[in-house]
Structure formats: structure tokens, C-alpha cells
Amino acid sequence: MPVKMLAPADEAYNYPLLIKQLLLSSQRYAGDNEIVGGNNGKRYSYAEFNERVQRLANVLTEAGVKQGDTVAVLDWDTPRYLECFFAIPMIGAVLHTVNVRLPPEQVVYTMNHAEDDLVLVHDDFLPLIAKVKDDLKTVKGYIQLSDADAPPEAPLDTIGDYEGLLAAAMTEFDFPDFDENAIATTFYTTGTTGSPKGVFFSHRQLVLHTMALAATTSMNDNMQLLQSSSVYMPITPMFHVHAWGVPYVATMMGLKQVYPGRYEPAMLLKLYMTEKVTFSHCVPTILQMILSSEKASTIDFSGWQVLIGGSALTQGLARSALDRGIQVYTGYGMSETCPLLSTSWLPLDAADLELDEQVQLRTKAGRPVPLVNMRIIDNKGRFVKHNGEDMGEVVVRAPWLTQSYLKEPEKGNELWENGWLHTGDVGTIDSSYTLEIRDRIKDVIKTGGEWVSSLDIENLISKHPDVELTAVVGLPDDEWGERPHAMVTVRAGAQVDHETIAEHLQQYVKDGAIEKWAIPDTVTVVDEIPRTSVGKIDKKVIRQQIKS
């Protein structure tokens, strides 16, 4: 029997889920809250921010940007970037958040592949763009972004500087309605092989992700991340999955927001203290960078809540953060998922739990957020039981997942095999719906016919008091197939070697947590563990370095 459909009234308004709707409520709740730029010390009320978004829309249309065009942004984390998050998609154009940490040839590739029409570029990246501008096939103009009151002379022709253009623009813009399935944003995710792949999200997807994220960050009594009194500072680049989508939530709620510019430990800590930041999000390596900075030793971090994602949060790092007063939680997702899929879930009696129990809860990928359907499948594509033991690949469905890769439908079909998005992660789900990621499929180590999780070994190594960060990879071995090898950074003045780590891991062999063959064959102590352009641990580079 067909579902019942009722015709709407002739005059009914078909409300499209557009990013402009998120901006509607921003001034209602903001009060005296400000949007602060750590890059230049400027502060904007929400009324000023809304006006600047409208001015930017006028600047863009005056520059010839039309619906369907693509506007690229190369900037640090600034209030200016937040204005682009809204103005560009709200006029019907596509926001391309360019990964400024990619090699020049990949920056050129992504800009050509996205067919960028207009480029907004910070002073720091103007030399790069000036050098490669003849290789950019579709770009028709540039706007200079500068933190200086008097912008330096640009090394290429521009339409003008951002602040000067905004100052001369009209203060009102009538943002149009259009199809909510129109593409709003695109950016590129890098893998271990091949060129970066473009992912893209519609207005509808971003609005639904925003609503789910808003609910998730306030629905758990022991994880009240975003409330009217919260002060938000991202420490995840705005070019990476829209800073995990949190700026859209913070703006919709009218929260005080602090944008630090380029990530420097001293500036991050200064802003944390002076602006009284309560919530941030970052990858584990950034958290470790903050905790190990010299200035951090004198700071009281109680009251700071930090959501960790991008890479696994080890139990050792979680314990270090908790010891310093930082309430850490895990968020799980990927570029293709906008990104949020699940977060830590703490029970009502969490404060009464022993520290070890809290650490275990905080480091798991947690429970799926509202509207996410998450399952585990075996190597034959069959669903496995949610018993916390049966492992398989994590597959998901949600209304905000990228529907394909830009101009690469064959790769999109691989991503969406059998109608589920395949994450490439191996995990378990228990009876309480809690997800635990055991490893990336490509990072599981097969040694002597047994599967060993690199994440499990990293977790145990991280518990050594002298270890700051660790990464474990598998390398080919003629006898065993693969053997684990570890790379670590250690605390200042500490002496750590293979014997130290092997002895430390023996206690877990005795306890039955790991088998003896899981102990790494080598331990390489380094000053810094290689990271990707978005701050994740780069195991591809680590394998190359250990081999050499």
C-alpha cells in the first residue's frame, strides 16, 4: 500500500534547509558575545558579523561570482574564514577550503580539479599562488587577505584587499532560496596513494549535521560541550572538514568564538587564558604539543573540555590530559562523513568511577550520534553481532555523508559498496551500542598468522610514564609475514630504548592483554613523529623512515 501524501496549501512555504537558515538565530541568542580574532586582536559583535557576511556577499557578486561557481579560500583560522563559511555558499556558490599544508603541486591539482573561479588568499600564501598562478586553469581573480591594517603589496594582480573591499561594499544582501541539495562546500582528502580526492556536501547535509552536532554536544549530562555560556576555540584547521562543523553550531547558537590564526602553542595558551575558552577540538598530536609546551606547566586547565578526533586518543595521553584538568572525549568520523559519526558517552555516575574506567570510556569511539546507523560487517559483507567481541569493518548510513568523490564516480561506488559507506576501520560494537575502533584495515599487523592491532600496542606503550606519543606500524618480515615496529617521542631528559619498552610491555603479556609476539621488534626514539597535513600521525612516512 503506498504511503499517504497530502498536498500542501497553495501558499505554503517550502522551507529549504540552507546554510542561511543557520545564521538566522545567531543574533537572537548572542547577547554580548563576540567573535574574536587572535590573529589581529579584532572583535566583532554578532550584528557586525552578520553585516560583514552581507558585505562579503556583495563583494563576491561584484567580482562576478555566480551560483554554481567555486570560490577557494587559503587562510589560517580567522573570523574572516568564518564569514566565508556563510557568505560563499549562501549566494549559491561552492566554498573550496584549500588545504594550505599540501605540497604546492597538490594545491595546484586540487584547485584545478575543483575548477576554482575566485581565490581568497592570505598574505602568507601569496608567494605560492604567485609562483603557480599560470598553472591554475580556471581562476579568474584573486582577493588579498591580510592581518595588517596596511596590507603589503601583493606579488600578483588582485581585485583588492578583503577589508578594503568590505568597507566599500553595501551592507545588505538578499540571499536567495534555491535547492537545498545544491553543493555548498568541497575539500580534498589525501590517502596513502594517488591524488587527493574531492568530497562535497550540500546545504541540506550541513544543516542536518549541524543540528545533530548541536544535540550531541549537549545531550549527555557529563559532556556539556556547547551551552550558552561556552567559549569556543577550534584547534582543528578550518580547511579540514569545516573545522569538524563546529563553527556552524557555535554561530547558530550565538556563542563567543575565538579564532587563533596560525597554530602556535604560546598563542593558543594565551587565548585560552585571556578569553576563558571552555571548549576546543583537535587531533592527539596537537593536544600533546600543548601539554608539552614549557608555558603549559604553569597553567590551570580545569574547565577546558577538548574533543579529540582524527587519530586514536591513547589512554596514556588521555590520562595526562585528565591529570592536568582537561576533560577529554573522543569523537569519531572521517572526511567523507562531514565528519561526526559517534562520540564518547559517559554514564551519570562517571564522576564516581575510577580513573582507569573513565579513561577507557573517554578513549572509545563511543555511541553513534542521532540519525547515524552504524553496523559492523565481516569480510563477506555480513552483519556481525553487537557483542563487543566480533570484529569487522565499520559501515554507516547518515543523512550528511558525501554521496561520492568529485568527478570520480568509480571511487564513490567503492566507498558506497552495497549501499553502506565503508570507513576502512576495524572495530566492535557492544550491547550498549558503544563502538571501539581496533585499527585501520590497512594498519592491522598480521604476524605469524595472528592479527595484532597497532592501536592496542600504542595504547599500552603510551602508559609508560616517559612516553609522550607513539605510533606502531607493521613491516614485512620473511619469517613472520609482518612484525610490529614502534616510533616514540619521550619526555625531556628521559632515556627510553627498545629494552625499556619491551620490559614495560611484558606486564601486559603476563596479564593476557597482548601476546608476546605483539612486542615491537624495534623502538625508534624521535624528536617528532611524522604527521599529515591535518596533524594526524602519518604511518606511511613512518614505515619509510623505519625501513631506512
Side-chain angles (χ1 to χ4, degrees), residues 13 97 128 157 192 208 230 257 288 324 418 440 456 485:
Y13 174 63
T97 55
L128 164 64
D157 291 334
T192 55
L208 290 173
S230 298
Q257 303 183 59
Q288 181 60 56
R324 300 296 305 281
N418 295 324
R440 291 288 290 169
D456 286 351
H485 297 258

Side-chain angles (χ1 to χ4, degrees), residues 345-396:
W345 188 267
L346 301 181
L348 292 176
D349 64 348
D352 300 328
L353 299 177
E354 296 292 333
L355 182 59
D356 283 347
E357 293 178 278
Q358 284 209 36
V359 166
Q360 289 182 15
L361 288 172
R362 292 172 187 268
T363 54
K364 289 184 178 180
R367 299 184 187 179
V369 305
L371 305 185
V372 169
N373 187 0
M374 179 180 290
R375 301 295 298 268
I376 304 291
I377 60 171
D378 62 20
N379 56 12
K380 294 183 178 180
R382 299 172 299 194
F383 294 129
V384 305
K385 293 180 180 179
H386 290 179
N387 56 18
E389 296 181 1
D390 291 354
M391 289 193 296
E393 184 182 11
V394 181
V395 295
V396 291

Side-chain angles (χ1 to χ4, degrees), residues 297-330:
S297 61
T298 62
I299 294 175
D300 177 10
F301 287 112
S302 58
W304 197 12
Q305 300 187 90
V306 179
L307 187 66
I308 300 296
S311 299
L313 171 62
T314 63
Q315 292 185 15
L317 181 56
R319 181 182 286 272
S320 295
L322 291 168
D323 286 343
R324 300 296 305 281
I326 301 176
Q327 298 298 308
V328 287
Y329 316 91
T330 294

